[in-house]
Amino acid sequence: MPEGDDSILKLFVSIGLNEQKAKETLKNEALANDLQALISEAQKLKGGDLDKSVGTLLYHVATRLKNKKRQSFLLGYLVGEKIVSEPQLTAALDFFKSNPVDPVDTSTFEASCGVGVTVSPEDIEDGVESVIQKHKDGLLEKRYHYNMGVIMGEVRKQLKWADGKAIKNEVDMQVLDLLGPKTAEDMEKPAKKAKEPKQGKGKSKEEKREAESEKEKESPAEEEKSYENMNQLMGEALRFHKTGENYTTEGYVVTPMTMELMKEHLNFTGGQVRTRFPPEPNGILHIGHAKAINFNFGYAKAHNGICYLRYDDTNPEKEEEKFFHGISDMVEWLGYKPYQVTHSSDYFQELYDYAVELIKRNLAYVCHMKADEMKGFTTPDSPWRDRPVEESLRLFEDMKKGKFNEGEATLRMKTMLEEGKKDPVAYRIKFTAHPKSGDEWCIYPTYDYTHCLCDSLEHITHSLCTKEFQSRRSSYYWLCNSLDVYCPVQWEYGRLNMNYTVVSKRKIAKLINEGIVQDWDDPRLFTLTALRRRGFPPEAINNFCAKIGVTMSLVTFDPGMLEACVRDILNNSAPRAMAVLHPIKVIIKNFPGTKGKEIDVPNIPHDESKGTHKVPFSSVIYIERSDFSENPEKGYRRLTPAQHVGLKHAGYALNVEKVVRDSSGQVTTLEANLAELNQENKPKAFIHWVSDPIKCEVRIYDRLFKHKNPEDPSEVPGGFITDCNVDSLDAISEALVDISVKGAKVLDRFQFERIGYFTVDKDTTSSKLVFNRTVPLKEDAGKN
C-alpha cells in the first residue's frame, strides 16, 4: 500500500471505520476524497480529534448526502452533538430531500430530526421490556427460532431516535434472561417441509403423454391468476417518487424556480399520477412495446392516474397513417384506453417558441456544420457556437421560412449528453409534408428536444423510458430547467428482449423482402399484430408482463414463458374440439344401428358452467395416423392390431379387425369393431377422432430462428438471415375437424384435444377454414 494511502487508512480507522470498511472506501477514489474533506472540515469545527460516534456518521454523510451545499450546515449538528444517531441522520437527509430550497427552516429541521430529544438507557430498557412481554408466549414456544426482527421493529417504532445498536443489545440481553442460553436444539435450523413427490415420476413416456392430455381436468378455472392490481408488474417502480415530490429523486436538479413550478403543477393536476406511452409512428409495435404499454398504463391505473398515448411524430419522412392506426389498435387490444391521444406535432408552435426563448437565453445557436461533421463523440466544437444571439434568432427565423436547404443549418443546444455527445441538435430542416400538419413547417424538432418539453406541457409526473435513454436524462432536466418550465422525473427501466427472434423494423422488413415471412403480422414474428394473428390472448401478454415485472436491468426471456401464460388463459377459455391432422379412415363394422348418433362433448371439461356441444358419431370415423401402429415400440399404449383403445367421449373401445393398404404399402383404412367400455376391457389410453368432419387447413408454426440470439455474430457469424429455420411453417391442407367449429370467426380460439391450441386465421374463406397453432398443449422441453 502506498505511504499516502496508509495514512488515509489510519485516518479512516481513527474515526470509527473498521479496517475492512476503510480499505473498501479507499478503493472508491471519489468517496475517499469526499470523506477526507468531511473529516478535515469537522476537525476544524471541533477544534481537535473527532469522537468515533461522530466519525461513523460522517461516513454516512459522505455516501448519502446529495446536496453538498448543505454539508457545512449538517456538520454543525454532528460536531455539536445535536444529531448523534443514525436514525436522526436519516431523518435529516430525508428532510433535505423534501425541502430542497434554501434557506433551511431551522426549527422545522430540528423537530424533524429529534434534536434535543434524549433517549436514556432506562427508556430503551422499558421499551424493550414492554415489547418482549407482548411476544412472550411466542418466544417461549419457538425460543431462538422466533422472528426477532419483529421485536426490533416494534421497539424502533416506539423509540424513533434511539440508537439501533443499543436497542439490539438490550433485546439480546432480555431474551437471554427470559430463555436462558441457547441449547443444541436452538442451534439447529428449523426443519423444512418434505417435498411431495412429483406426479408422473416413474411413468413411461407413453403414460406421461396420456397424463398430459388429461391434465386439463385437474386445472380448475378458479385458479386463473389475476394481475389487476399490477403490484407484481411494478417491481422496482414501487420506489418511485410521490406526485409533487420530484425533488426527492436522486439526480433530480433543483433550481430556485422548482418549488414554485411544482406548486403550479400540483394546482393543475390535483396530485394525479400522469404517464404517457410515446411511440414513433414509423413501424409496428412488438413484444417489447407490450411491456412499455403495460408499465405506463398499468402504473397510472395502479395509482388512479391517467396515461396519454402520444405519437412522437417529429420525423415526417418515415411516418405513415397505417402506423398511427396500428399503434392505437394494439393499445386498445391490450385492454387500455388512453386518457387522451396526442401528438408531438400538436405542440409544434409551443416548441418553436421555446426554441426562440432558448436562443434569447444564449443556450442555443444556429450551426452550419454538416451532419457527418457532427457524428460521433469526438467532434470539434462548432465555429458558430458563440455567434451573437440576435444573429441566431434571425437565422432560425430564416430556417423556419425555408431560406436554407436541407442540411445547411441546424439549431443546436449548448449542453452535453451524459454519453459525451456535444451540443445535440434541437431543430433540423426537412422539406417533407407532415402527416398531420401538412406543409405548415419545414423545420422539425428532434427527440432530444421534443420529448421532455412535451412531457412538461402535459404535466407528466413519471416519464418512463428504457435504459438506453438514461444518457439523455441530464439533458432532459437541463432543457426544462433552462426554460424555467415544470420538470417531470425521468425513470429508466430495462427493456424486454426475447430469445429466438428479431424486433428491429429494418430486420423484419428484410425478412419480408426476402420472402422468409409474409408480412408484419406473420405468426412467426413477435410483433403484436403477429401474436394476435397467432391467437395469443391480450390477457396472456399482460400477465406475462406482470410476471416478469419491472427491473432496472436489461432482461431477455425465452418464448416458453410467454407461451405458458397463453396456456393459462386458453385452458380456461378455449372451447374444445377434435381435429385430426394426418387422418386414417376407420370403418366400424358393428356400429350400433343403421344411422349415426350425436355425442355430447364438454366445452371446458373442468368447468361444467361452460356447457357442451354435440358432434356426430357414425360408422366411419377418422383417427390420427400416429395413434395406430402395426409394430409398436415397448410402452406404446394406443391402437394396435393386438391392443384396443378408448374413443374419447364416445363410451366405446375400438378393436382393429383388418388393415387395408394402398399399392405403396401405406395404411389407408382400418376395419374395426366397437365394444362398450366396462371394467374388463378398460383401455390403456383414449384417442380423439372425428366423424362427418369439416376439411380445413392447419398451420403448425415453429421458431423462426435456430439460435437464441440470431443477431449475435458469435452465435451466427453469417448474419440473422442465415439462421432462419426453413421448417418453421408446416401447412397441412387436408386436416379434418369436427363440425362444432363450423361458423367460427377470425381469431376465434379452440383447443384441439390432445394436440394444442388453435386460432382461426384471417386467410379463412367461406369455403375453407384455416387454423394457426397458437401453442402446443405443453412446452417442448427439447427446445431449450
Side-chain angles (χ1 to χ4, degrees):
M1 181 184 294
E3 188 176 337
D5 285 355
D6 187 47
S7 63
I8 298 171
L9 180 67
K10 288 178 180 177
L11 175 65
F12 290 169
V13 171
S14 74
I15 66 161
L17 300 189
N18 62 46
E19 190 166 341
Q20 183 181 352
K21 175 65 76 175
K23 286 180 178 178
E24 288 173 2
T25 304
L26 265 179
K27 292 177 184 177
N28 185 331
E29 186 177 346
L31 174 58
N33 290 337
D34 285 347
L35 184 55
Q36 282 185 83
L38 272 170
I39 294 169
S40 176
E41 187 176 349
Q43 286 173 336
K44 287 177 184 177
L45 284 171
K46 179 78 172 177
D49 293 336
L50 301 173
D51 185 87
K52 287 191 175 182
S53 60
V54 176
T56 306
L57 294 177
L58 287 181
Y59 176 81
H60 288 294
V61 173
T63 55
R64 296 165 60 188
L65 180 64
K66 305 303 178 187
N67 187 350
K68 301 301 182 185
K69 293 178 183 177
R70 294 182 169 178
Q71 184 170 288
S72 297
F73 176 86
L74 184 57
L75 279 180
Y77 280 86
L78 298 182
V79 174
E81 297 184 1
K82 293 181 179 180
I83 291 178
V84 296
S85 67
E86 190 177 335
Q88 283 185 293
L89 178 60
T90 298
L93 296 175
D94 288 342
F95 180 89
F96 288 163
K97 275 188 178 181
S98 302
N99 299 271
V101 178
D102 290 325
V104 175
D105 185 326
T106 305
S107 59
T108 307
F109 171 77
E110 291 182 355
S112 300
C113 304
V115 172
V117 177
T118 303
V119 182
S120 67
E122 289 77 16
D123 293 332
I124 296 174
E125 182 181 349
D126 292 343
V128 171
E129 186 177 348
S130 67
V131 172
I132 284 185
Q133 188 63 34
K134 178 182 170 184
H135 292 269
K136 184 176 180 180
D137 291 342
L139 281 164
L140 291 173
E141 179 188 348
K142 296 184 178 179
R143 291 182 57 78
Y144 288 96
H145 291 151
Y146 195 76
N147 186 352
M148 302 298 173
V150 174
I151 295 174
M152 289 286 295
E154 289 187 21
V155 179
R156 281 180 176 273
K157 195 172 181 181
Q158 282 185 25
L159 305 170
K160 185 177 180 181
W161 308 119
D163 181 69
K165 287 183 180 178
I167 292 175
K168 186 178 185 310
N169 291 338
E170 185 64 31
V171 169
D172 290 346
M173 189 171 66
Q174 291 198 31
V175 169
L176 178 64
D177 186 52
L178 175 67
L179 303 179
K182 286 186 179 181
T183 64
E185 198 172 308
D186 292 329
M187 304 290 281
E188 292 179 4
K189 289 184 178 180
K192 291 183 179 179
K193 289 183 179 179
K195 289 185 180 179
E196 293 182 10
K198 289 184 179 179
Q199 289 186 354
K201 194 172 183 181
K203 290 183 179 179
S204 68
K205 288 183 180 179
E206 187 67 23
E207 288 173 321
K208 287 178 182 177
R209 183 182 186 278
E210 294 302 323
E212 187 65 36
S213 69
E214 299 297 319
K215 188 177 179 182
E216 60 179 270
K217 295 179 181 178
E218 304 167 9
S219 180
E222 57 266 27
E223 286 186 8
E224 183 177 332
K225 294 180 181 178
S226 171
Y227 294 95
E228 286 185 358
N229 62 13
M230 302 305 286
N231 279 345
Q232 188 165 353
L233 171 64
M234 291 303 102
E236 292 198 28
L238 295 174
R239 66 184 180 87
F240 285 0
H241 70 282
K242 295 178 182 178
T243 54
E245 296 184 4
N246 301 25
Y247 47 82
T248 64
T249 306
E250 186 174 339
Y252 187 82
V253 179
V254 176
T255 73
M257 291 290 293
T258 295
M259 301 311 288
E260 183 60 34
L261 291 167
M262 195 63 60
K263 184 178 178 181
E264 293 173 6
H265 161 74
L266 287 172
N267 286 339
F268 183 84
T269 65
Q272 181 183 53
V273 166
R274 292 181 161 219
T275 61
R276 81 289 172 271
F277 173 57
E280 297 175 78
N282 60 6
I284 299 296
L285 301 184
H286 54 72
I287 187 64
H289 290 112
K291 178 179 177 180
I293 291 168
N294 269 276
F295 191 20
N296 278 283
F297 282 91
Y299 187 80
K301 180 181 178 183
H303 295 85
N304 298 314
I306 60 173
C307 183
Y308 289 82
L309 168 59
R310 185 205 307 147
Y311 295 107
D312 181 24
D313 57 342
T314 57
N315 194 359
E317 292 171 326
K318 297 182 179 180
E319 293 155 7
E320 296 180 41
E321 194 63 32
K322 67 177 182 180
F323 294 135
F324 286 91
H325 291 302
I327 289 167
S328 176
D329 187 28
M330 287 299 97
V331 169
E332 291 183 14
W333 177 64
L334 287 176
Y336 294 108
K337 184 174 177 57
Y339 167 73
Q340 189 176 339
V341 177
T342 61
H343 304 70
S344 294
S345 58
D346 295 340
Y347 308 108
F348 274 176
Q349 184 60 53
E350 290 91 334
L351 294 171
Y352 176 80
D353 293 341
Y354 280 145
V356 170
E357 180 61 29
L358 207 61
I359 297 171
K360 288 179 178 178
R361 297 185 180 204
N362 200 22
L363 295 173
Y365 62 96
V366 172
C367 176
H368 304 288
M369 291 176 71
K370 303 300 181 187
D372 288 343
E373 295 176 294
M374 293 187 283
K375 280 183 180 176
F377 301 99
T378 57
T379 57
D381 289 339
S382 170
W384 294 279
R385 195 176 199 272
D386 296 320
R387 76 189 327 161
V389 167
E390 293 74 16
E391 189 176 324
S392 280
L393 285 170
R394 176 175 54 77
L395 292 171
F396 188 49
E397 181 70 16
D398 288 346
M399 286 172 61
K400 180 189 174 189
K401 291 179 177 177
K403 294 183 179 181
F404 290 103
N405 292 324
E406 288 189 19
E408 284 186 350
T410 59
L411 183 71
R412 297 176 69 181
M413 298 177 281
K414 293 184 179 181
T415 187
M416 183 180 287
L417 301 180
E418 288 173 50
E419 62 191 9
K421 181 80 172 173
K422 293 179 184 176
D423 292 3
V425 171
Y427 270 87
R428 71 277 203 215
I429 300 167
K430 287 182 182 290
F431 291 108
T432 304
H434 190 277
K436 196 165 180 288
S437 61
D439 294 322
E440 184 180 354
W441 298 89
C442 65
I443 55 172
Y444 293 99
T446 60
Y447 173 88
D448 287 325
Y449 177 78
T450 306
H451 175 59
C452 60
L453 294 178
C454 285
D455 281 353
S456 178
L457 287 163
E458 292 179 350
H459 284 272
I460 300 303
T461 57
H462 298 75
S463 180
L464 310 176
C465 56
T466 48
K467 287 287 279 187
E468 60 263 37
F469 295 103
Q470 185 170 347
S471 63
R472 263 87 171 164
R473 191 200 304 166
S474 60
S475 65
Y476 183 109
Y477 294 159
W478 175 85
L479 186 50
C480 288
N481 290 331
S482 294
L483 290 165
D484 290 325
V485 297
Y486 160 72
C487 184
V489 178
Q490 176 173 306
W491 287 99
E492 304 90 13
Y493 60 92
R495 65 182 296 173
L496 166 63
N497 288 340
M498 192 73 75
N499 289 329
Y500 300 102
T501 191
V502 296
V503 294
S504 154
K505 301 179 187 94
R506 181 179 58 81
K507 290 176 180 176
I508 292 176
K510 188 169 184 179
L511 290 170
I512 294 169
N513 294 335
E514 297 269 343
I516 296 168
V517 297
Q518 295 174 341
D519 208 338
W520 294 88
D521 66 347
D522 187 295
R524 289 165 289 183
L525 297 173
F526 277 80
T527 61
L528 293 183
T529 52
L531 295 178
R532 178 171 66 174
R533 182 178 177 186
R534 189 167 146 190
F536 281 33
E539 311 95 293
I541 295 173
N542 293 344
N543 283 359
F544 170 69
C545 291
K547 277 187 174 181
I548 64 175
V550 174
T551 63
M552 298 302 117
S553 56
L554 184 145
V555 284
T556 303
F557 291 93
D558 192 89
M561 187 173 176
L562 174 57
E563 291 175 0
C565 292
V566 172
R567 291 188 194 92
D568 286 343
I569 297 294
L570 295 184
N571 184 47
N572 295 313
S573 61
R576 277 35 173 183
M578 291 191 287
V580 175
L581 306 189
H582 303 286
I584 295 180
K585 185 177 182 180
V586 179
I587 299 173
I588 301 172
K589 307 298 288 185
N590 67 338
F591 189 84
T594 56
K595 292 183 179 180
K597 57 165 75 171
E598 288 187 327
I599 303 287
D600 279 331
V601 176
N603 289 326
I604 309 284
H606 56 263
D607 186 357
E608 292 182 2
S609 69
K610 297 295 174 65
T612 62
H613 61 272
K614 294 184 182 297
V615 297
F617 181 43
S618 67
S619 60
V620 176
I621 65 172
Y622 297 85
I623 67 170
E624 200 69 60
R625 185 168 292 277
S626 60
D627 283 337
F628 171 73
S629 178
E630 283 188 281
N631 303 295
E633 294 179 356
K634 185 180 179 180
Y636 188 82
R637 295 161 57 84
R638 286 160 284 162
L639 187 61
T640 74
Q643 179 173 274
H644 66 292
V645 72
L647 295 177
K648 291 199 79 173
H649 310 297
Y652 291 100
L654 190 70
N655 298 281
V656 174
E657 299 294 326
K658 183 180 178 182
V659 179
V660 180
R661 297 178 179 81
D662 60 16
S663 57
S664 66
Q666 184 176 9
V667 175
T668 57
T669 307
L670 301 176
E671 293 183 4
N673 286 326
L674 293 178
E676 288 193 8
L677 291 176
N678 54 49
Q679 289 299 318
E680 285 70 34
N681 72 343
K682 189 175 180 181
K684 293 182 178 179
F686 286 79
I687 63 172
H688 62 282
W689 51 274
V690 292
S691 181
D692 297 329
I694 300 170
K695 192 175 288 187
C696 65
E697 179 178 330
V698 172
R699 297 169 180 172
I700 306 294
Y701 294 98
D702 203 347
R703 287 176 180 162
L704 183 58
F705 296 99
K706 301 171 191 173
H707 291 83
K708 277 189 175 183
N709 303 298
E711 298 171 277
D712 185 348
S714 64
E715 281 192 45
V716 187
F720 74 101
I721 290 292
T722 66
D723 196 48
C724 289
N725 174 14
V726 294
D727 298 318
S728 59
L729 170 60
D730 180 14
I732 304 165
S733 58
E734 299 293 317
L736 304 174
V737 63
D738 72 48
I739 63 169
S740 69
V741 304
K742 189 175 182 180
K745 301 179 180 63
V746 173
L747 296 182
D748 282 353
R749 306 179 187 96
F750 300 90
Q751 186 199 98
F752 290 174
E753 296 199 45
R754 300 178 65 241
I755 302 175
Y757 295 99
F758 291 79
T759 300
V760 180
D761 188 72
K762 68 177 186 178
D763 290 342
T764 290
T765 65
S766 57
S767 59
K768 190 170 188 178
L769 283 165
V770 178
F771 291 93
N772 295 322
R773 186 176 73 176
T774 305
V775 288
L777 279 182
K778 62 176 182 176
E779 184 177 1
D780 183 354
K783 283 187 177 180
N784 295 318

